[in-house]
Amino acid sequence: MLALTLSDLLKGLVPLAWQLGDARLQTQVREFVEYLLASSREDGRFGNTEVEKDTAANAFLDLGTAKLMEGLIAYHDVANDDRVIDLVRSYFDRYLARSPEPVGWAQAVLHQENLVAGLWLYEHTGDEKLRTLLTQLCHPSHPAGQWADRFRDGDVAIPHGYMIVHALKYPAFRYLLEGDPADLDGIRTVLTVLDETYGQVGGRFAAHESLPRTAGRRPTHGTEFCNVVAQMYSFERIFEVTGDSAFADRLELLAFNALPATCTGDFWAHQYDQQANQVVVTTAQREFDNGPEANLFGLKPNGDCCTGSMHSAWPRLVQHLWMATDDGGLVATVYGPSEVTFTTSDGVTVVVREETDYPFEGRIVFTIEAERAVTFPLYLRVPNWAENKAYGTGAFLHSKGSVSEINSVGLQRLAGLWEPGEQIVLELPYWPVADARSDESVAFRCGPLQLALRIDADYREIRHHGRGSRDWEILPRSEWNILPVAVPGHGVLPAGAGGDPAELVRQPPSRLPFAALDEPVYDRESGSVVPWPHREPVVLRMKGMRVRNWGLHPVWPSAADVPQYPEVDGEWLDIELVPYGSTRLRIAEFPRADRVRSQPAPHQ
Ligand SMILES: [Zn+2]
């Protein structure tokens, strides 16, 4: 599997190196690319031939090559080096065309990852023989590769999370080749099933390794880091094909919640498996089909695959923040401070500057810069979470001297003549909302950010690998069995709730926007870790009560199930909810305040 991990590195390293303008990283990329180019062989394959002698690794060799090609394509984007086209063409013409059928189930499951490079090559060459081969790849005879067909039935080819998140995009690729909208509907169908059966706070579904066998929505089930990364990429590609903003909504939920939550604020340590309700992080077996280190924050807890993929999530999100549209315009896929340069269909170079602290605020300012007035459509996304049946979208657009409320969620097409320096302001609703997760539980959100209970923590260093790389256990210092009880006007309130109203406190994000207050952060100057001194950019202060019938699980070192009928002790506590992505210990799924009973329920 190490070969696969190394193959995974390049696809994130290339955009990272060029987005940062980091000469040292760019040199590393060039050296590796030169090695790959020089390794091309008569049979079309490339890379280290030693790896092919390892029969155990061979099943995944094909996947590793597909990922290497993703990295090479990213390199072609920045370096315009057409030797990459020759290498990829050679792989398809000489190798894949001779053996298009995968060997065995392990190769079959992600054989279609080759479509990423194949479709890119087809765009560059228009080779009809290649198109035939790609169509063939979309219809594997082995059942373990028949993802698009299974998704139509709301099912998966195999129940492994890492495989599922990769495969989500395959029907979109098949749609590009064959144009059957049932393939796109299949993606929506299977996502609905995953949401309903395994859905978790923060846009992910539970799959520590495989999908849980029981109670898939239980908030102590884990999700592997690689799944978050690969699912983000799938949503980027699916949105690119469909233009359906619901996929961009899903992308930003993962990017701003599940992704930052599963690494430390300084990005030096990560988990294999994150939990929504994560109250103690220790070396111990949990209800996961992974080893006892899967829940630790560290260099390579439970294996090195996530170490190889983690760094690609942010750079690839940046690559996809903006996309060109087929009517000559631009679409803002996910919001974030950025700048994009493009050329209109009549040849004018335009820069669109986006200024915002999103996701930590709802106001986004776009400034159009060009030598003269230009005409092009600009698409802005109003996320599904903005929809509120009682109040409308709550989203407003300031453009050309007037303010208008946006009536529906989804992509908004703004067409017109844009003057140089013209500004458009989008205001998305930004206030705390309580969303019922189930009959037992509730989660809190503010804009695209899920909120979670701040739990004071002791960080126990158990290994130091060098520089900022450490393995951590994290133990709670404050109570976590808390029921939040006051979100005036927008939430679930218990009968007779008292105390002060909730207060949303915001401040500009710091250099490490998802670092938690007091979290140990690597300090390059001293070489040691120091507590992070800044508060999170969004803090919801409110009242809560201790829940007496909620503690640790009787078997696993995790929180017990959320009690359906919480028993509170009546004492008001001051609590803070902070962005889910800023928490290493947290409660993100709470008992419902409208289910509070003074006496124990009969089944408790
Ligand atoms: Zn992994």
Side-chain angles (χ1 to χ4, degrees):
M1 288 298 281
L2 183 62
L4 180 56
T5 302
L6 292 173
S7 308
D8 233 3
L9 280 170
L10 189 65
K11 66 181 172 34
L13 183 58
V14 177
L16 180 69
W18 267 265
Q19 286 163 12
L20 295 178
D22 187 314
R24 182 178 61 92
L25 292 181
Q26 290 176 8
T27 300
Q28 288 180 3
V29 168
R30 286 196 186 93
E31 286 172 359
F32 190 48
V33 168
E34 289 302 328
Y35 157 74
L36 290 175
L37 291 169
S39 70
S40 183
R41 309 199 307 262
E42 271 303 302
D43 68 357
R45 292 194 284 181
F46 59 92
N48 187 344
T49 52
E50 287 300 305
V51 179
E52 289 158 28
K53 294 176 186 166
D54 181 349
T55 48
N58 254 325
F60 294 98
L61 191 62
D62 186 41
L63 176 62
T65 307
K67 287 176 175 284
L68 275 178
M69 289 192 289
E70 290 177 33
L72 287 165
I73 291 168
Y75 179 71
H76 185 270
D77 282 349
V78 294
N80 250 326
D81 187 337
D82 283 344
R83 292 178 300 164
V84 169
I85 294 179
D86 297 336
L87 184 80
V88 174
R89 180 158 42 198
S90 172
Y91 186 73
F92 275 84
D93 286 353
R94 296 180 185 177
Y95 179 64
L96 277 183
R98 287 191 184 163
S99 48
E101 276 291 318
V103 182
W105 76 267
Q107 208 183 73
V109 282
L110 293 183
H111 194 60
Q112 289 161 83
E113 201 65 21
N114 285 305
L115 289 166
V116 173
L119 288 165
W120 173 85
L121 183 63
Y122 179 66
E123 280 175 12
H124 280 76
T125 63
D127 176 356
E128 284 307 310
K129 277 208 315 280
L130 175 62
R131 187 188 173 106
T132 305
L133 171 61
L134 299 180
T135 305
Q136 198 177 345
L137 285 180
C138 291
H139 294 276
S141 58
H142 199 293
Q146 294 170 354
W147 292 98
D149 299 320
R150 300 298 290 271
F151 287 168
R152 291 184 182 200
D153 300 329
D155 200 359
V156 293
I158 65 164
H160 188 269
Y162 179 81
M163 310 297 181
I164 295 168
V165 292
H166 280 77
L168 283 173
K169 60 184 179 293
Y170 300 163
F173 293 157
R174 193 162 84 175
Y175 171 81
L176 279 180
L177 290 160
E178 299 181 346
D180 185 347
D183 275 333
L184 303 182
D185 288 340
I187 305 174
R188 298 182 182 102
T189 301
V190 79
L191 284 172
T192 302
V193 171
L194 290 171
D195 285 346
E196 288 173 352
T197 319
Y198 309 100
Q200 297 285 330
V201 170
R204 62 194 172 86
F205 61 88
H208 358 97
E209 202 64 40
S210 295
L211 298 171
R213 291 198 184 89
T214 56
R217 282 169 65 88
R218 180 183 290 155
T220 46
H221 276 308
T223 300
E224 183 189 342
F225 196 153
C226 281
N227 297 9
V228 176
V229 176
Q231 192 168 7
M232 283 175 59
Y233 183 59
S234 285
F235 288 146
E236 286 156 7
R237 300 306 306 269
I238 298 167
F239 177 72
E240 191 180 300
V241 173
T242 62
D244 178 348
S245 67
F247 293 110
D249 293 350
R250 287 181 177 274
L251 168 61
E252 77 166 3
L253 258 182
L254 287 169
F256 297 144
N257 296 284
L259 171 63
T262 199
C263 23
T264 50
D266 61 7
F267 219 63
W268 272 101
H270 71 274
Q271 294 174 292
Y272 194 93
D273 284 317
Q274 67 174 296
Q275 300 165 293
N277 285 357
Q278 182 167 284
V279 298
V280 55
V281 166
T282 48
T283 309
Q285 192 60 46
R286 286 175 170 72
E287 196 186 6
F288 305 158
D289 46 358
N290 298 125
E293 294 206 342
N295 197 224
L296 291 183
F297 284 84
L299 173 63
K300 46 175 187 167
N302 196 60
D304 50 32
C305 57
C306 308
T307 319
S309 71
M310 62 185 285
H311 69 291
S312 70
W314 286 119
R316 290 210 296 197
L317 181 74
V318 171
Q319 279 183 309
H320 293 88
L321 281 184
W322 289 92
M323 294 187 194
T325 60
D326 57 6
D327 57 355
L330 269 183
V331 55
T333 309
V334 170
Y335 300 120
S338 59
E339 194 175 283
V340 61
T341 304
F342 88 118
T343 306
T344 62
S345 49
D346 50 354
V348 183
T349 301
V350 177
V351 174
V352 179
R353 197 153 31 86
E354 180 180 343
E355 292 164 292
T356 182
D357 281 337
Y358 194 89
F360 305 108
E361 68 167 344
R363 181 182 166 86
I364 307 150
V365 181
F366 302 91
T367 306
I368 294 171
E369 292 165 357
E371 280 185 5
R372 57 177 170 85
V374 284
T375 306
F376 67 89
L378 178 65
Y379 290 83
L380 302 181
R381 180 177 56 93
V382 176
N384 280 333
W385 54 254
E387 183 145 50
N388 183 317
K389 288 186 175 60
Y391 305 109
T393 66
F396 290 86
L397 192 71
H398 305 242
S399 176
K400 300 198 181 293
S402 67
V403 184
S404 53
E405 184 168 7
I406 300 172
N407 295 322
S408 59
V409 297
L411 291 186
Q412 313 294 313
R413 186 178 193 270
L414 311 179
L417 185 69
W418 308 110
E419 299 291 339
E422 184 161 346
Q423 286 198 329
I424 299 149
V425 180
L426 176 66
E427 297 221 43
L428 295 173
Y430 208 85
W431 52 67
V433 175
D435 295 322
R437 288 266 312 152
S438 68
D439 201 38
E440 292 94 45
S441 65
V442 66
F444 293 84
R445 182 178 57 70
C446 189
L449 296 177
Q450 299 286 161
L451 301 177
L453 178 74
R454 178 203 298 290
I455 301 174
D456 296 335
D458 279 328
Y459 286 71
R460 186 189 293 165
E461 181 185 319
I462 57 171
R463 277 183 221 105
H464 185 200
H465 303 281
R467 300 180 70 187
S469 180
R470 291 168 162 82
D471 293 352
W472 300 98
E473 288 188 329
I474 310 177
L475 304 172
R477 267 196 294 116
S478 61
E479 293 170 298
W480 54 262
N481 53 331
I482 302 289
L483 174 84
V485 287
V487 184
H490 299 289
V492 178
L493 285 165
D500 298 329
E503 179 192 11
L504 187 69
V505 183
R506 288 165 46 198
Q507 60 182 17
S510 65
R511 179 175 63 82
L512 301 178
F514 286 105
L517 178 68
D518 289 335
E519 174 180 15
V521 162
Y522 179 57
D523 176 53
R524 271 193 226 175
E525 304 275 306
S526 65
S528 59
V529 289
V530 293
W532 187 244
H534 304 286
R535 296 186 75 80
E536 299 79 1
V538 174
V539 178
L540 180 63
R541 291 185 179 144
M542 60 194 303
K543 295 289 182 185
M545 282 188 187
R546 200 175 289 113
V547 178
R548 285 185 307 206
N549 55 339
W550 195 17
L552 285 174
H553 190 277
V555 178
W556 312 108
S558 297
D561 287 353
V562 175
Q564 187 174 5
Y565 298 105
E567 297 164 28
V568 293
D569 66 3
E571 183 185 346
W572 289 106
L573 305 170
D574 291 317
I575 61 167
E576 291 185 341
L577 305 193
V578 295
Y580 176 90
S582 303
T583 55
R584 311 305 154 233
L585 296 183
R586 62 184 153 260
I587 291 291
E589 203 170 316
F590 298 89
R592 288 174 59 140
D594 58 348
R595 296 283 190 276
V596 169
R597 286 187 179 175
S598 54
Q599 297 298 317
H603 302 298
Q604 295 289 304

